[in-house]
Amino acid sequence: MIGPKDVGYFTLYDLKGSKLAGSVFNILFNLNKFMAFETRDPFLIRQERENPTLTEWDRFAHREYIRLSMEEDAEDASNGSADVWDESLEAPF
């Protein structure tokens, strides 16, 4: 994870130069954070890498919007109201 210059040991310089130094410390000293690191969602990690300017709130809002729109589409399809037009509601010519 750290990628030290010498394979036998790592130095403080190696830790400071690594982007994953925080994860290394969490793995060594904090069991809860280690478990969170091990069970992280690869889909969310990919999203973070694709657009690093989005905040956690922006990602949450986007996921919820997609989830709610999918639920609404499924509800419309189950009711049959998506493709059915009631001709009795049309205005007479």
Short mmCIF file of all heavy atoms in Angstrom, two decimals, residues 43-67:
data_model
loop_
_atom_site.label_atom_id
_atom_site.label_comp_id
_atom_site.label_asym_id
_atom_site.label_seq_id
_atom_site.Cartn_x
_atom_site.Cartn_y
_atom_site.Cartn_z
N PHE A 43 -17.91 0.44 -6.24
CA PHE A 43 -18.66 1.34 -7.11
C PHE A 43 -18.51 2.79 -6.64
O PHE A 43 -18.31 3.70 -7.44
CB PHE A 43 -20.13 0.93 -7.13
CG PHE A 43 -20.99 1.82 -7.97
CD1 PHE A 43 -20.89 1.81 -9.35
CD2 PHE A 43 -21.88 2.70 -7.38
CE1 PHE A 43 -21.67 2.63 -10.13
CE2 PHE A 43 -22.67 3.52 -8.14
CZ PHE A 43 -22.56 3.49 -9.53
N LEU A 44 -18.58 2.99 -5.33
CA LEU A 44 -18.42 4.35 -4.79
C LEU A 44 -17.00 4.87 -4.98
O LEU A 44 -16.80 6.05 -5.26
CB LEU A 44 -18.79 4.38 -3.31
CG LEU A 44 -20.25 4.13 -2.99
CD1 LEU A 44 -20.47 4.10 -1.49
CD2 LEU A 44 -21.12 5.19 -3.62
N ILE A 45 -16.03 4.00 -4.85
CA ILE A 45 -14.64 4.41 -5.07
C ILE A 45 -14.44 4.84 -6.51
O ILE A 45 -13.78 5.85 -6.78
CB ILE A 45 -13.69 3.26 -4.68
CG1 ILE A 45 -13.77 3.00 -3.18
CG2 ILE A 45 -12.26 3.57 -5.10
CD1 ILE A 45 -13.08 1.75 -2.74
N ARG A 46 -15.04 4.10 -7.44
CA ARG A 46 -14.92 4.46 -8.85
C ARG A 46 -15.58 5.81 -9.12
O ARG A 46 -15.06 6.65 -9.86
CB ARG A 46 -15.55 3.39 -9.73
CG ARG A 46 -15.38 3.64 -11.22
CD ARG A 46 -15.87 2.48 -12.06
NE ARG A 46 -17.21 2.08 -11.75
CZ ARG A 46 -18.29 2.59 -12.34
NH1 ARG A 46 -18.18 3.53 -13.23
NH2 ARG A 46 -19.49 2.16 -12.01
N GLN A 47 -16.73 6.06 -8.48
CA GLN A 47 -17.40 7.35 -8.64
C GLN A 47 -16.54 8.49 -8.12
O GLN A 47 -16.48 9.56 -8.73
CB GLN A 47 -18.73 7.36 -7.90
CG GLN A 47 -19.85 6.70 -8.61
CD GLN A 47 -21.14 6.82 -7.84
OE1 GLN A 47 -21.14 6.98 -6.62
NE2 GLN A 47 -22.25 6.72 -8.54
N GLU A 48 -15.88 8.28 -7.00
CA GLU A 48 -15.02 9.32 -6.43
C GLU A 48 -13.85 9.63 -7.35
O GLU A 48 -13.45 10.78 -7.49
CB GLU A 48 -14.51 8.89 -5.07
CG GLU A 48 -15.58 8.88 -4.00
CD GLU A 48 -15.08 8.32 -2.69
OE1 GLU A 48 -13.88 8.00 -2.58
OE2 GLU A 48 -15.91 8.20 -1.76
N ARG A 49 -13.32 8.61 -7.99
CA ARG A 49 -12.18 8.83 -8.90
C ARG A 49 -12.61 9.52 -10.19
O ARG A 49 -11.86 10.29 -10.76
CB ARG A 49 -11.52 7.50 -9.23
CG ARG A 49 -10.74 6.94 -8.09
CD ARG A 49 -10.04 5.67 -8.46
NE ARG A 49 -9.40 5.06 -7.32
CZ ARG A 49 -9.17 3.78 -7.21
NH1 ARG A 49 -9.51 2.96 -8.17
NH2 ARG A 49 -8.58 3.31 -6.13
N GLU A 50 -13.84 9.22 -10.66
CA GLU A 50 -14.32 9.82 -11.90
C GLU A 50 -14.56 11.31 -11.76
O GLU A 50 -14.27 12.08 -12.67
CB GLU A 50 -15.60 9.13 -12.36
CG GLU A 50 -15.38 7.76 -12.91
CD GLU A 50 -16.69 7.07 -13.26
OE1 GLU A 50 -17.78 7.63 -13.01
OE2 GLU A 50 -16.62 5.94 -13.78
N ASN A 51 -15.11 11.73 -10.64
CA ASN A 51 -15.41 13.15 -10.44
C ASN A 51 -15.03 13.55 -9.02
O ASN A 51 -15.87 13.59 -8.13
CB ASN A 51 -16.90 13.41 -10.70
CG ASN A 51 -17.16 14.87 -10.93
OD1 ASN A 51 -16.30 15.72 -10.70
ND2 ASN A 51 -18.36 15.18 -11.38
N PRO A 52 -13.75 13.88 -8.82
CA PRO A 52 -13.30 14.19 -7.46
C PRO A 52 -13.80 15.54 -6.93
O PRO A 52 -13.65 15.82 -5.74
CB PRO A 52 -11.78 14.19 -7.59
CG PRO A 52 -11.51 14.47 -9.02
CD PRO A 52 -12.67 13.91 -9.78
N THR A 53 -14.42 16.36 -7.77
CA THR A 53 -14.88 17.67 -7.31
C THR A 53 -16.21 17.57 -6.56
O THR A 53 -16.57 18.50 -5.85
CB THR A 53 -15.05 18.64 -8.49
OG1 THR A 53 -16.00 18.08 -9.41
CG2 THR A 53 -13.73 18.87 -9.18
N LEU A 54 -16.94 16.45 -6.73
CA LEU A 54 -18.22 16.30 -6.03
C LEU A 54 -17.97 16.02 -4.56
O LEU A 54 -17.06 15.29 -4.19
CB LEU A 54 -19.02 15.15 -6.63
CG LEU A 54 -19.57 15.34 -8.03
CD1 LEU A 54 -20.32 14.09 -8.47
CD2 LEU A 54 -20.49 16.53 -8.09
N THR A 55 -18.82 16.59 -3.74
CA THR A 55 -18.75 16.33 -2.30
C THR A 55 -19.51 15.05 -1.99
O THR A 55 -20.24 14.52 -2.84
CB THR A 55 -19.34 17.49 -1.50
OG1 THR A 55 -20.74 17.58 -1.81
CG2 THR A 55 -18.63 18.79 -1.80
N GLU A 56 -19.37 14.57 -0.79
CA GLU A 56 -20.11 13.38 -0.36
C GLU A 56 -21.61 13.63 -0.43
O GLU A 56 -22.39 12.75 -0.81
CB GLU A 56 -19.69 12.99 1.05
CG GLU A 56 -20.25 11.67 1.52
CD GLU A 56 -19.73 10.49 0.74
OE1 GLU A 56 -18.58 10.52 0.27
OE2 GLU A 56 -20.50 9.52 0.57
N TRP A 57 -22.02 14.84 -0.09
CA TRP A 57 -23.44 15.19 -0.17
C TRP A 57 -23.94 15.15 -1.62
O TRP A 57 -25.04 14.67 -1.89
CB TRP A 57 -23.68 16.57 0.43
CG TRP A 57 -25.08 17.04 0.20
CD1 TRP A 57 -25.52 17.97 -0.67
CD2 TRP A 57 -26.26 16.54 0.84
NE1 TRP A 57 -26.88 18.10 -0.61
CE2 TRP A 57 -27.37 17.22 0.31
CE3 TRP A 57 -26.48 15.56 1.81
CZ2 TRP A 57 -28.66 16.98 0.71
CZ3 TRP A 57 -27.79 15.32 2.20
CH2 TRP A 57 -28.86 16.03 1.66
N ASP A 58 -23.15 15.65 -2.56
CA ASP A 58 -23.55 15.63 -3.96
C ASP A 58 -23.73 14.19 -4.45
O ASP A 58 -24.68 13.89 -5.18
CB ASP A 58 -22.50 16.33 -4.83
CG ASP A 58 -22.44 17.82 -4.57
OD1 ASP A 58 -23.46 18.40 -4.15
OD2 ASP A 58 -21.35 18.40 -4.76
N ARG A 59 -22.81 13.31 -4.07
CA ARG A 59 -22.92 11.91 -4.46
C ARG A 59 -24.17 11.27 -3.85
O ARG A 59 -24.88 10.51 -4.52
CB ARG A 59 -21.67 11.14 -4.04
CG ARG A 59 -20.47 11.47 -4.86
CD ARG A 59 -19.30 10.55 -4.52
NE ARG A 59 -18.08 11.18 -4.94
CZ ARG A 59 -17.27 11.88 -4.17
NH1 ARG A 59 -17.53 12.00 -2.89
NH2 ARG A 59 -16.19 12.44 -4.64
N PHE A 60 -24.43 11.56 -2.58
CA PHE A 60 -25.62 11.02 -1.92
C PHE A 60 -26.89 11.51 -2.62
O PHE A 60 -27.80 10.72 -2.89
CB PHE A 60 -25.64 11.43 -0.44
CG PHE A 60 -26.92 11.12 0.25
CD1 PHE A 60 -27.23 9.83 0.64
CD2 PHE A 60 -27.85 12.14 0.50
CE1 PHE A 60 -28.43 9.55 1.27
CE2 PHE A 60 -29.05 11.86 1.12
CZ PHE A 60 -29.34 10.56 1.50
N ALA A 61 -26.95 12.80 -2.90
CA ALA A 61 -28.14 13.37 -3.55
C ALA A 61 -28.35 12.75 -4.93
O ALA A 61 -29.48 12.43 -5.31
CB ALA A 61 -28.01 14.89 -3.66
N HIS A 62 -27.28 12.53 -5.66
CA HIS A 62 -27.37 11.92 -6.98
C HIS A 62 -27.88 10.48 -6.89
O HIS A 62 -28.78 10.08 -7.65
CB HIS A 62 -26.01 11.97 -7.67
CG HIS A 62 -26.01 11.39 -9.04
ND1 HIS A 62 -26.65 12.00 -10.09
CD2 HIS A 62 -25.47 10.26 -9.53
CE1 HIS A 62 -26.50 11.27 -11.18
NE2 HIS A 62 -25.79 10.19 -10.86
N ARG A 63 -27.35 9.71 -5.95
CA ARG A 63 -27.81 8.32 -5.77
C ARG A 63 -29.28 8.27 -5.37
O ARG A 63 -30.05 7.45 -5.89
CB ARG A 63 -26.97 7.62 -4.70
CG ARG A 63 -25.60 7.19 -5.16
CD ARG A 63 -24.94 6.26 -4.14
NE ARG A 63 -24.98 6.74 -2.77
CZ ARG A 63 -24.02 7.44 -2.18
NH1 ARG A 63 -22.93 7.74 -2.85
NH2 ARG A 63 -24.14 7.83 -0.92
N GLU A 64 -29.69 9.15 -4.47
CA GLU A 64 -31.08 9.16 -4.03
C GLU A 64 -32.02 9.58 -5.16
O GLU A 64 -33.11 9.04 -5.30
CB GLU A 64 -31.26 10.09 -2.83
CG GLU A 64 -30.72 9.52 -1.55
CD GLU A 64 -31.44 8.24 -1.15
OE1 GLU A 64 -32.68 8.24 -1.03
OE2 GLU A 64 -30.74 7.23 -0.96
N TYR A 65 -31.59 10.54 -5.97
CA TYR A 65 -32.41 10.97 -7.10
C TYR A 65 -32.62 9.80 -8.06
O TYR A 65 -33.74 9.55 -8.51
CB TYR A 65 -31.74 12.13 -7.82
CG TYR A 65 -32.47 12.56 -9.05
CD1 TYR A 65 -33.60 13.37 -8.97
CD2 TYR A 65 -32.05 12.15 -10.31
CE1 TYR A 65 -34.29 13.75 -10.10
CE2 TYR A 65 -32.73 12.53 -11.45
CZ TYR A 65 -33.85 13.34 -11.34
OH TYR A 65 -34.53 13.70 -12.45
N ILE A 66 -31.56 9.07 -8.36
CA ILE A 66 -31.68 7.92 -9.26
C ILE A 66 -32.58 6.85 -8.65
O ILE A 66 -33.44 6.29 -9.32
CB ILE A 66 -30.28 7.36 -9.59
CG1 ILE A 66 -29.52 8.36 -10.47
CG2 ILE A 66 -30.38 6.01 -10.27
CD1 ILE A 66 -28.08 8.01 -10.69
N ARG A 67 -32.39 6.57 -7.36
CA ARG A 67 -33.20 5.55 -6.69
C ARG A 67 -34.68 5.93 -6.72
O ARG A 67 -35.54 5.10 -7.05
CB ARG A 67 -32.73 5.37 -5.25
CG ARG A 67 -33.46 4.25 -4.51
CD ARG A 67 -33.02 4.14 -3.08
NE ARG A 67 -33.34 5.31 -2.29
CZ ARG A 67 -34.54 5.57 -1.77
NH1 ARG A 67 -35.53 4.73 -1.96
NH2 ARG A 67 -34.75 6.66 -1.06
#
